[in-house]
């Protein structure tokens, strides 16, 4: 028998017999590992341990100590749900039930379920865990499978689509339940320590609005009851902080049905925050040598054909017919900036040339995918593009990274960094790929950045560094990307004159500091739980007169605080109620003024943490505000000890 070679996570190579499975690879590494193997990751895909590996495959062995284990366990939990459902509602038909980042879901039909039914199903699921049923993989013929799913159009659809051509189909069997499934699964239902059904919604078959509506039940599962409890607490906290809820309470934004799906409207309070964010990005960009530019919202599709977006993104583009000519709303800002660059002739001495713009883009996502500010149809990117000589990549990337780290520090966010390198299909010479990957790596290594290497995950037109933000609850969100591009300069025939007097191709780098304002705004709302730092708070100070007699003085205090966003509480409420209201509105500072203060020309300062100081001179407080605002401090700190 001939041998094949696979690559292990540490980069070492292992030869195994042709036809070897993931489990065989594990046993080859060591018998202990072989025994502990739950599943495998082959070329990035989670697979059953009985699946074969191919020559050249990247193989990761999954045990119950691996990060992927929870995913495997949750997939089994989805089957446990389906099993319990069919015991209680034999009429139910099953569609698909995959694991997700938070747990799992199962799409079902022909059964009338509402939230009240979940508890009984959950109880039945616990019985199944208790029974510790072995989960076994069985191979069936296509004929058998088709016969079994005679009355189930969804499973038949899978058989005729994803599984078309497979003569042997894998099923997973546990007790009285079986499901057409590629796995992987844990070995028995008893490995699942805790399950919880979370909610019911609806979904289209295959996510397509033209297909029938199914009932989707969401659940989650953990190895232990304790892990589940911790997760449920975090979930409750996350619900409290949900940006859609806080956005409404704080009057920041809305996405009304009448204006169209995924088209957010920013109210005055939200716009104040966006303006501060935009000003901060602009100051970082200007310091780094970027020049502001502005481009319109739509272009002739000629431009999108030249950039290649038309070929690849046309389904996501909003197209318009104007005087028999086709136009498209811009899904990206890059072609506009490349065209600006192309309006001049450049010498090597002029490079790098750097442009930035808060550019609004439009992408037609499926309506079912839209969610608050995190998935929208229109959003603004703090978009920058720079054009440089190949040997300048390192210095430019270093400088972009510095700005991104300044953003992270300013907001108290953590980040996960990944370097994605050349994929199999790519444009650009070996030389330029090697040169640019080496420079990207050098920046990350020299700055001691802890990053994941994602071999082959770069775009076809260049390597990239991806950032994911981690917020105060430890959740991760897609952040900015720094992307080297050898393709667009080619497509737009961009050139500069080199020292040798010849024409050369510049490298284009796409970069953002926040990514999209919408996504970043969402992260900030939830990260700060609506309690924005002074520099971002839509209302920074509220003056609370003890009685209406001090209204005049309250307005004088407001005027003395000059440029800050100050309001005067003029409703005739008790002081206690005024304080509670300001507290609920997350105002960083409350200034209480009564008869004594009015007479002495002072204020009593109170902050969100309910700390208080009396007899403060207005001038001293204003100086403090200037400093706290100017330094973008994270918390109100006038009264900090
Ligand atoms: Zn399955
Ligand atoms: Zn771009």
């Amino acid at each position: 028998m001939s041998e094949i070679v696979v690559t292990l996570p540490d980069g070492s190579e292992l030869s195994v017999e042709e036809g070897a499975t993931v489990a065989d690879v594990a046993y080859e590494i060591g018998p202990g590992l072989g025994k502990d193997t739950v599943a495998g990751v082959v070329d990035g895909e989670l697979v059953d341990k009985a699946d074969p590996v191919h020559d050249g495959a990247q193989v990761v062995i999954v045990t119950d100590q691996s990060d992927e284990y929870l995913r495997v366990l949750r997939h089994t939990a989805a089957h446990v749900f389906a099993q319990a459902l069919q015991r209680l509602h034999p009429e139910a038909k099953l569609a698909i039930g995959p694991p997700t980042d938070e747990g799992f879901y199962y799409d079902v039909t022909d059964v009338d379920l509402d939230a009240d039914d979940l508890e009984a199903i959950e109880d039945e699921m616990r019985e199944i865990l208790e029974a510790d049923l072995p989960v076994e993989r069985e191979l069936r013929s296509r004929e058998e499978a088709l016969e079994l799913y005679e009355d189930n159009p969804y499973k038949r659809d899978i058989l005729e689509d994803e599984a078309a051509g497979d003569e042997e189909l894998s099923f997973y069997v546990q007790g009285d339940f079986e499901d057409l499934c590629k796995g992987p699964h844990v070995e028995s239902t008893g490995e699942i320590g805790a399950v919880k059904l979370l909610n019911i919604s609806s979904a289209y078959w295959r996510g397509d609005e033209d297909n029938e509506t199914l009932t989707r039940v969401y659940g989650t599962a953990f190895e232990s009851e304790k892990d589940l409890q911790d997760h449920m607490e975090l979930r409750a906290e996350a619900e409290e902080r949900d940006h859609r809820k806080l956005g409404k309470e704080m009057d920041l934004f809305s996405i009304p049905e009448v204006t169209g799906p995924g088209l957010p409207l920013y109210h005055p309070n939200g716009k104040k925050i966006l303006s501060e964010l935009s000003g901060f990005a602009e100051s970082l960009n200007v310091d780094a040598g970027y020049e502001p530019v502005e481009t319109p919202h739509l272009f002739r599709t000629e431009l999108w054909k030249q950039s290649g977006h038309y070929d690849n993104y046309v389904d996501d583009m909003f197209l318009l017919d104007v005087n028999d000519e086709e136009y498209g709303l811009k899904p990206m800002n890059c072609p506009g900036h490349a065209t600006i660059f192309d309006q001049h002739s450049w010498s090597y001495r002029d490079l790098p040339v750097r442009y930035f713009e808060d550019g609004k883009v439009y992408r037609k996502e499926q309506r079912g995918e839209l969610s608050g500010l995190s998935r929208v149809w229109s959003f603004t990117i703090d978009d920058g593009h720079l054009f440089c000589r190949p040997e300048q990549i390192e210095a430019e990337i270093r400088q972009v990274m510095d700005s991104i780290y300044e953003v992270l520090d300013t907001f108290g966010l953590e980040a996960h960094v990944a370097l994605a390198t050349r994929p199999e299909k790519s444009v650009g010479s070996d030389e330029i790929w090697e040169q640019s990957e080496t420079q990207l790596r050098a920046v990350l290594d020299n700055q001691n950045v802890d990053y994941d290497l994602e071999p082959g995950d770069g775009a076809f037109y260049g390597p990239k560094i991806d950032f994911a933000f981690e917020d105060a609850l430890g959740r991760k969100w897609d952040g900015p990307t720094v992307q080297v591009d050898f393709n667009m300069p080619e497509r737009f025939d961009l050139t500069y004159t080199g020292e040798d007097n010849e024409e050369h191709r510049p490298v284009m780098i796409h970069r953002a500091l926040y990514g999209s304002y919408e996504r970043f705004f969402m992260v900030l709302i939830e990260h700060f739980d609506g309690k924005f730092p002074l520099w971002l708070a839509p209302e920074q100070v509220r003056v609370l007169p003890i009685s209406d007699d001090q209204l005049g003085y309250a307005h004088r205090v407001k005027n003395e605080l000059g440029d800050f966003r100050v309001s005067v509480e003029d409703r005739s409420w008790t002081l206690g109620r005024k304080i509670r209201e300001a507290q609920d509105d997350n105002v960083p500072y409350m200034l209480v003024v009564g008869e004594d203060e009015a007479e002495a020309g002072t204020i009593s300062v109170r902050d969100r943490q309910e700390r208080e100081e009396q007899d403060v001179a207005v001038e001293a407080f204003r100086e403090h505000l200037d400093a706290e605002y100017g330094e973008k401090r994270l918390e109100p700190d006038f009264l900090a000890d």
Side-chain angles (χ1 to χ4, degrees):
M1 235 195 185
S2 61
E3 298 260 298
I4 56 169
V5 177
V6 298
T7 310
L8 302 176
D10 63 359
S12 66
E13 295 190 330
L14 186 74
S15 42
V16 288
E17 278 181 6
E18 196 177 342
T21 63
V22 170
D24 294 334
V25 171
Y27 273 108
E28 195 64 41
I29 300 168
L33 185 65
K35 249 180 56 209
D36 291 344
T37 300
V38 175
V41 178
V42 175
D43 296 336
E45 204 191 329
L46 191 58
V47 299
D48 196 277
K49 64 180 174 182
D51 276 16
V53 296
H54 62 88
D55 191 33
Q58 306 261 357
V59 180
V60 182
I61 303 299
V62 176
T63 69
D64 64 2
Q65 300 301 307
S66 313
D67 289 346
E68 292 85 357
Y69 178 69
L70 199 53
R71 213 176 163 80
V72 179
L73 183 119
R74 286 168 171 174
H75 188 173
T76 308
H79 283 209
V80 172
F81 162 76
Q83 182 171 22
L85 178 74
Q86 292 208 313
R87 282 185 184 175
L88 300 178
H89 306 270
E91 72 283 11
K93 280 200 178 77
L94 305 175
I96 52 162
T100 63
D101 288 343
E102 266 219 82
F104 62 85
Y105 66 78
Y106 217 116
D107 286 345
V108 299
T109 176
D110 288 30
V111 57
D112 191 15
L113 287 183
D114 58 46
D116 296 340
D117 299 312
L118 296 184
E119 210 180 300
I121 302 172
E122 221 175 78
D123 287 342
E124 191 65 35
M125 288 174 76
R126 290 201 190 90
E127 301 269 322
I128 297 167
L129 305 192
E130 198 82 357
D132 196 16
L133 304 171
V135 182
E136 273 152 355
R137 187 186 206 222
E138 281 176 20
L139 295 174
R140 307 260 158 88
S141 70
R142 168 163 290 273
E143 230 166 69
E144 274 178 282
L146 284 169
E147 201 183 303
L148 185 68
Y149 289 131
E150 204 176 13
D151 297 329
N152 186 324
Y154 308 102
K155 298 291 186 192
R156 285 185 78 99
D157 198 20
I158 295 169
L159 287 170
E160 276 145 31
D161 192 355
E162 292 97 313
D166 295 357
E167 276 319 310
E168 276 200 319
L169 297 143
S170 84
F171 279 74
Y172 283 81
V173 184
Q174 57 201 41
D176 55 358
F177 176 79
E178 63 187 341
D179 201 359
L180 172 70
C181 176
K182 280 162 87 174
H185 285 279
V186 295
E187 277 183 6
S188 76
T189 59
E191 283 187 47
I192 305 167
V195 288
K196 178 94 198 146
L197 294 180
L198 300 169
N199 59 299
I200 296 191
S201 69
S202 60
Y204 299 106
W205 171 238
R206 299 211 184 271
D208 186 334
E209 287 158 46
D210 296 333
N211 289 341
E212 47 278 59
T213 309
L214 307 170
T215 302
R216 176 169 293 181
V217 179
Y218 285 97
T220 193
F222 285 91
E223 281 179 72
S224 71
E225 201 58 50
K226 162 97 176 60
D227 288 353
L228 174 65
Q229 289 315 327
D230 291 350
H231 174 81
M232 294 311 287
E233 273 165 34
L234 199 67
R235 208 181 128 87
E237 177 66 44
E239 260 166 39
E240 273 304 300
R241 291 174 178 230
D242 190 299
H243 73 284
R244 287 161 294 193
K245 174 173 169 279
L246 287 173
K248 196 168 175 186
E249 285 169 12
M250 298 180 73
D251 198 15
L252 301 176
F253 70 92
S254 57
I255 310 180
E257 196 50 39
V258 64
T259 51
L263 299 170
L265 307 178
Y266 291 100
H267 300 195
N269 282 347
K271 181 63 185 172
K272 284 173 189 134
I273 297 172
L274 284 181
S275 298
E276 292 285 2
L277 292 175
S278 172
F280 180 43
E282 174 156 357
S283 72
L284 292 173
N285 289 334
V286 168
D287 285 351
Y290 286 77
E291 293 193 277
V293 293
E294 190 173 312
T295 60
H297 292 231
L298 81 165
F299 289 115
R300 296 167 63 193
T301 48
E302 287 312 303
L303 185 77
W304 307 116
K305 285 172 187 162
Q306 194 178 351
S307 68
H309 290 108
Y310 198 83
D311 290 340
N312 295 304
Y313 290 97
V314 73
D315 291 343
D316 296 335
M317 282 181 70
F318 293 93
L319 299 174
L320 307 107
D321 202 34
V322 185
N323 300 333
D324 290 332
E325 235 189 311
E326 196 181 36
Y327 284 72
L329 290 179
K330 59 180 175 183
M332 292 191 186
N333 298 303
C334 344
H337 294 184
T339 309
I340 295 174
F341 182 87
D342 198 27
Q343 301 306 304
H344 297 263
S345 46
W346 302 99
S347 134
Y348 68 96
R349 282 190 231 94
D350 302 321
L351 268 43
V353 169
R354 312 178 187 90
Y355 300 138
F356 84 92
E357 172 181 17
D358 279 344
K360 180 91 62 189
V361 296
Y362 301 86
R363 296 184 196 164
K364 198 165 47 181
E365 303 251 13
Q366 293 251 19
R367 289 189 64 149
E369 303 279 302
L370 300 174
S371 157
L373 289 177
S374 74
R375 291 291 280 276
V376 281
W377 272 5
S378 77
F379 57 98
T380 305
I381 304 175
D382 66 307
D383 218 348
H385 294 95
L386 65 94
F387 305 87
C388 66
R389 308 197 299 268
E391 67 273 18
Q392 292 174 319
I393 294 174
E394 181 173 346
E396 290 305 307
I397 299 277
R398 188 182 323 123
Q399 199 264 308
V400 173
M401 297 276 295
D402 285 347
S403 297
I404 291 176
Y405 275 95
E406 180 145 1
V407 167
L408 291 167
D409 274 357
T410 302
F411 297 97
L413 291 162
E414 300 283 326
H416 293 255
V417 184
L419 171 63
T421 59
R422 188 177 192 173
E424 241 165 76
K425 265 200 202 150
S426 62
V427 299
S429 66
D430 290 354
E431 190 196 342
I432 193 139
W433 271 92
E434 205 177 300
Q435 190 180 4
S436 54
E437 286 184 5
T438 310
Q439 293 185 79
L440 260 54
R441 227 181 277 241
V443 176
L444 295 169
D445 291 337
N446 291 337
Q447 299 196 334
N448 287 321
V449 175
D450 188 16
Y451 64 96
D452 292 331
L453 188 64
E454 292 175 348
D457 262 2
F460 75 92
Y461 50 80
K464 59 176 180 163
I465 300 174
D466 288 325
F467 289 80
F469 295 124
E470 184 176 329
D471 72 9
L473 295 186
R475 297 171 301 171
K476 293 180 190 67
W477 306 101
D478 285 344
T481 293
V482 187
Q483 174 102 53
V484 180
D485 186 346
F486 315 126
N487 183 47
M488 211 168 291
E490 202 73 47
R491 284 182 163 266
F492 282 86
D493 194 23
L494 305 180
T495 57
Y496 66 92
T497 310
E499 224 165 332
D500 54 6
N501 250 330
E502 301 282 322
E503 298 276 276
H504 293 269
R505 199 62 88 206
V507 170
M508 185 170 176
I509 297 176
H510 311 249
R511 44 104 280 173
L513 305 180
Y514 302 139
S516 98
Y517 277 94
E518 279 65 18
R519 171 69 60 86
F520 193 64
F521 193 19
M522 176 208 88
V523 171
L524 291 185
I525 294 170
E526 302 194 3
H527 174 65
F528 289 123
D529 192 14
K531 295 174 187 64
F532 291 101
L534 179 82
W535 73 282
L536 290 177
E539 183 182 350
Q540 296 166 315
V541 178
R542 191 178 293 178
V543 190
L544 313 179
I546 291 177
S547 79
D548 288 353
D549 295 343
Q550 287 90 44
L551 266 172
Y553 179 63
H555 279 283
R556 278 207 299 286
V557 170
K558 172 184 151 86
N559 291 340
E560 274 185 62
L561 294 175
D563 297 338
F564 289 95
R565 297 185 285 267
V566 184
S567 68
V568 171
E569 175 61 87
D570 56 8
R571 290 170 286 199
S572 305
W573 289 344
T574 62
L575 181 62
R577 184 161 177 206
K578 289 175 181 174
I579 291 175
R580 273 199 307 281
E581 186 77 5
Q583 197 81 30
D584 280 353
D585 291 344
N586 296 320
V587 183
Y589 289 111
M590 294 151 244
L591 308 182
V592 179
V593 294
E595 222 172 293
D596 294 349
E597 284 85 1
E599 217 158 273
T602 59
I603 49 178
S604 280
V605 181
R606 198 185 153 91
D607 70 13
R608 277 193 305 232
Q609 283 95 325
E610 301 177 31
R611 294 175 298 202
E612 216 177 325
E613 190 163 317
Q614 297 178 343
D615 301 327
V616 177
V618 180
E619 180 57 22
F621 182 65
R622 199 180 61 76
E623 276 170 22
H624 171 80
L625 286 184
D626 278 331
E628 186 174 325
Y629 177 88
E631 289 167 27
K632 301 188 168 52
R633 292 179 201 154
L634 279 166
E635 277 294 337
D637 66 350
F638 179 69
L639 303 149
D641 3 68

